[in-house]
Amino acid sequence: MAEEVILRFDEVTFEYQHKKPVLDEANFNVRTGAKITLMGQNGAGKSTIFCLIRGEIKPKSGNVYITNKATIGAALQMMAREYFDLTVEQYFAKAFEMAPPNLKSRISKALEAVDFEIPFEKTVGELSGGQQARLLLAFSLIQNPDILLLDEPTNNLDQAGIDHLIQFLIMYAKTIIVISHDADFLNSFTEGVLYLDVFTKKVETYVGDYYSVVEEIKNRIEREQMKNARLEKQIKDRKEKVNFFANKGGKMRKLASKMKEETEEMEENKVEVRREDKTIRDFTIPTQDIVGNIVTIKSVKIIKDRKPIIKKIDKILRQRTHMLISGPNGIGKSTLLRSLVNNIGDGAQIMNGVRVGYYSQDFAALDFDITVFDCLKSNVADGVDTQQIRSVAASFFITGELMGLKVSQLSEGQKGLLSFAKLVLMRPGLLLLDEPTNHINFRHIPVIARAINEYNGAVILISHMQDFVKEIKIDEHLDLDTL
């Protein structure tokens, strides 16, 4: 007996702005127990599909059907700042209309599923990005949902957390739909792909693991291009004959008319080749003209067994020095970068006069309440004009129609690209990069790695994406776990 369909999109159209659809008569269905990847370019509308499934927004036309009132749990990309002041227990209580009497027991089970121990009285804002990621996952599981929606669940997770998550997802008996740009993670459990095409606004369905689907899409594009190339040649030959016979008169003109009809039919038979996701072009982050000891680190504060410990070290970063900071979630990696940015703490200092380009994993360096254009305009280097701002923005797919939006209205992937555009425009002497591949389409990642390698200032990098780290030229490695 075939598994029943638990979720179906029937001719769903949705738009945020008039006549600019995100979805255009999209159709797909998901069967009970399926483990599905939702793919698509940054800003294509993947998170919008999740909002439609959860019922937070309604289609302009068409219908979203959830079978037998199936329950839905969702782990979003980022912890909402409104939850930062809540304790862990208060945060989990938000999953219920009325907190159940066994809430603490259910919290413990949900945290155990994501391999996380944390005091219930600790506030959400005290947790590291990786710890918040585990909390988001646990929140989605506490109601044991029939449909589990995971939006970039590996962001900020260390390798142990990713491995535990993979094991959990393989064993989870219910329906899972995942948005992620981590190819290896997806390939470990995916059995089908829903592809949201940013150009057609349609959703295509593929069966197979992640890598085989990507290969199938690539082969399909090549076949369509070859078919169109053959038709183009035939059409060109026909048009030349039509023009020749049309000038001969009599029966030849009739033949020309018939051939013209056949040529038009051939043009209609040309297939619309599915365009691949765009990839940002190679870019350079200009460097502030500065020399000397850009960063001096004499000591760092790490967290072990939930207690802060000060460790003495001796690290100096000059121009063209790239340092990787590693260690498990919650040990203090992001805290070290924030202390540098805010110039707090005696253990680490930045040389006076250095412009700091900070990529924060939670985009804290961006002002969500101003327009995209105003955000780009702030902190630009001397001599950068409006035309240059727009040109750099466009190279990161931040086009004119996005410029007037508030930063908060961008997708997480678009916020990531906006952050890189700002780094280019400010010409920093130091880059502090905290998980800079989070939310970023995997096609962009090699381009970003090349830009970091070619940057002539100092770099401090935190990243759990091993494939990305392997592409970066690392001169210094600070492993907080071995201090």
Side-chain angles (χ1 to χ4, degrees), residues 275-293:
R275 290 173 282 182
E276 290 191 83
D277 288 352
K278 295 177 185 175
T279 303
I280 57 174
R281 60 176 182 260
D282 281 318
F283 66 95
T284 299
I285 302 174
T287 312
Q288 180 185 11
D289 186 15
I290 196 164
V291 293
N293 297 341

Side-chain angles (χ1 to χ4, degrees), residues 14-202:
F14 180 83
E15 59 186 36
Y16 288 109
Q17 294 176 277
H18 185 54
K19 293 186 178 179
K20 290 187 178 177
V22 177
L23 295 175
D24 184 14
E25 298 184 351
N27 294 289
F28 67 87
N29 60 62
V30 176
R31 296 194 173 276
T32 302
K35 293 178 172 62
I36 301 295
T37 294
L38 177 56
M39 277 178 70
Q41 189 170 309
N42 288 139
K46 302 183 296 297
S47 296
T48 297
I49 287 180
F50 274 14
C51 289
L52 286 162
I53 294 171
R54 296 198 306 271
E56 292 179 0
I57 54 179
K58 300 296 181 186
K60 180 185 177 186
S61 61
N63 292 289
V64 177
Y65 296 103
I66 308 291
T67 303
N68 296 330
K69 297 182 179 179
T71 55
I72 299 167
L76 305 183
Q77 296 186 39
M78 306 278 286
M79 180 65 72
R81 297 179 186 184
E82 65 196 72
Y83 296 143
F84 278 19
D85 292 333
L86 299 180
T87 65
V88 169
E89 184 174 352
Q90 289 169 336
Y91 170 68
F92 278 104
K94 293 282 185 181
F96 305 92
E97 289 185 14
M98 184 177 294
N102 64 342
L103 177 61
K104 288 187 177 181
S105 171
R106 293 176 76 158
I107 294 173
S108 295
K109 288 180 181 176
L111 290 173
E112 185 181 343
V114 298
D115 194 26
F116 188 32
E117 274 187 62
I118 191 76
F120 290 2
E121 64 274 11
K122 204 170 183 74
T123 60
V124 172
E126 292 179 77
L127 304 181
S128 72
Q131 291 171 326
Q132 288 181 6
R134 293 183 194 228
L135 208 64
L136 286 165
L137 286 168
F139 186 88
S140 69
L141 300 174
I142 197 165
Q143 297 185 67
N144 192 27
D146 300 312
I147 302 173
L148 180 59
L149 306 177
L150 303 179
D151 198 348
E152 301 287 1
T154 62
N155 279 356
N156 305 324
L157 283 183
D158 56 24
Q159 194 56 52
I162 293 171
D163 292 343
H164 190 87
L165 176 59
I166 289 169
Q167 183 180 356
F168 172 81
L169 294 177
I170 290 171
M171 299 299 293
Y172 195 70
K174 298 184 180 182
T175 306
I176 302 170
I177 307 176
V178 182
I179 299 170
S180 177
H181 292 111
D182 187 334
D184 288 338
F185 164 72
L186 291 172
N187 203 58
S188 64
F189 67 91
T190 292
E191 57 193 40
V193 169
L194 297 171
Y195 187 94
L196 174 53
D197 190 325
V198 70
F199 304 105
T200 66
K201 318 298 183 188
K202 308 287 187 187

Side-chain angles (χ1 to χ4, degrees), residues 2 33 68 83 85 87 107 145 149 176-177 208 233 262 264 307 356 375 381 394-395 413 423 443 464 469 477 479:
N68 296 330
Y83 296 143
D85 292 333
T87 65
I107 294 173
L149 306 177
I176 302 170
I177 307 176
K233 186 176 184 303
E262 290 173 351
E264 289 171 353
K307 295 178 182 177
V356 181
C375 183
S395 69
L423 295 179
R443 297 179 190 276
H464 288 114
V469 171
H477 183 193
D479 185 351

